[in-house]
Amino acid sequence: SSDLALGIAADGKWDSFLPAWRQAVGEGWKTKAGRDIVWRARTESALPLLEQLIQDPTTAAADRERYFRALDFYRGPARERTLMSVVEASGADVRTTALALTQLDSASIRMTPQLQSAVDRTLAATRGTQQFVDIASKFDARASGPELLQLALTYPDSTKGVAAARLAVRWGGIEPFRTAVFSANPNVARSALTVLGFLGGAAAQGVIEEVILDASRPLALRQQAVQSVSRMAAGGNAPPAQGSTTPLTGDRRLLQLVQRDSLSPELRDASALVLFGSPRADVREGAARVLTAPPTSRTADGKTLPPTATLATRTGDRASGRVAFSKVCVSCHIAEGPGSDFGPALTEIGTKLPKAALYNAILEPSSGIAYNYEGWIVRLRDGRETTGIIVNDTQTELAVKVMGGIVTRYPRADVASVTAMPVSLMPKGLHTALTEQELVDLVEYLSSLRSPTR
C-alpha cells in the first residue's frame, strides 16, 4: 500500500521520485505494487524497467500488453531505443516482437539486418491477422502482395481483409482483384466483389460495373455486384464527376446507370431495393422518377402483410428463423455464432422487445434508432464520402464503422464535414427478401434470444 501511495503522490514528480524509490527498494522492485509504479511512471528512467518487465518470461500476456501501452505516453529516441532493444532481444517471442514492431515510430525506423530478420520472422508467424497487415504496411513489405490478396479474399467482409485489400491495391494495382472477380470459381468471384465494395474508389467501382453490365455473367453475381457498388457509399468512393460538386458515391453511380437505361431489366428490382433504401435523399428522389418503389408491404412470395398486431400473435419455427436471420440480418448483427459487429448485438433482444416491437423494428427501422448506432455522413476534403457509425472522434482522427463491422480511420484534417443521417442505417424493406412465413419465423427466433436469467 505504501508503494501505491508513492505512485499516486509522484504524479508530476517522476524524474526525482522514481530514481529515489529505485535506490531505496533495490532489486526488490518487482513486486505487484512495484510493477504498477513502473507502469504508472512518466520518466525516461522507467523505460529500462518497462523493458525488463516486457521481456520477463514470467510476465503474463495481458500484463505485457499493458506495459506496451505505457510506452504510448513516451516520445523521442529513448522510447524507440527501448522498442528496438525488445525487437532485437534474442529471447523475445514472436508475439512480443510483433507488439514492439507495431509501436515503432515509422519516421525513426532505420532498417538493419537484425530488424529485417525480426520483420520477416514476425510476418511469417502472423499470417492471416491484422498484425500481419500492419507490419507489412509499416515496413513496406511488398513481397507480401500475394498473401495480402489471399487474406482479402478469405476475409472479404472484415476489417483486416479490407485493410489487406487496400495495401495490395496500393502496391499492385486493381488487376489481381479484377482477375479474381472474373474467376471461374464462383466463391472467389463473390469474395472479390464483396471486398471491392468495401474498398471503394474509382478503380474498384469500374471493376464492379463491368460485372453489372456483362450479361454473360451469372445473374446472381450481377445482383451481388449491384449490392457491392451501392456499398461504396459507405466504404470510400470516387471523387465527384467532372463538372459536379456532388460526390459520386456508389448509390449515385448506380442511379446514373438506371437513368441512362444501361442496366438489364433483370437488375431493375435489385437496383430499386438499393436506391430506395439509400440514406441520401437525392438518390431516393432520383430513383422515384425512374423506378417503381418496391412494395414494402409485400413479402418475397407476393403476400401483403397484415397489421403488426396480427403478425405478433403468430408462432413461427425457431430453427427456420435462424436460417432467415443468416439470410438478411447476419451482415450487420450478431446473435448466436457468426455475425457482424455493426448494428446492435441481438443476443438478448427477446428480453428487451416483445414480438410487436420486433416487427416494428424490422418493418420501420427509422422509427427507433438505438443509442450509439446513429448514422453519420462523413465528407472528406478530396470529395469522397462515407456513411456509417462514428466509433472514435478525436482531434487527430475520426474512425467510422461501416456495414460489415469494418472500421476505417481518417485523419481529422481530411474531414470536411460530419452530418447526422435523418434515417436509420438499416434500410427499409429488408423483409421483402423473405416470404411471410420466413418473416414470422425470424421474429420467433429473435424473440427466443433472451438473457440466461429471464
Side-chain angles (χ1 to χ4, degrees), residues 405-418:
I406 296 164
V407 176
T408 302
R409 304 181 186 279
Y410 302 97
R412 207 59 177 81
D414 292 349
V415 178
S417 65
V418 180

Side-chain angles (χ1 to χ4, degrees), residues 242-276:
Q242 189 173 5
S244 171
T245 59
T246 304
L248 191 59
T249 55
D251 51 357
R252 290 185 176 119
R253 176 56 180 158
L254 181 61
L255 178 59
Q256 279 188 354
L257 294 175
V258 173
Q259 290 170 331
R260 296 171 183 174
D261 202 24
S262 300
L263 295 188
S264 301
E266 62 266 26
L267 293 179
R268 291 179 71 84
D269 287 347
S271 300
L273 192 60
V274 166
L275 296 174
F276 282 100

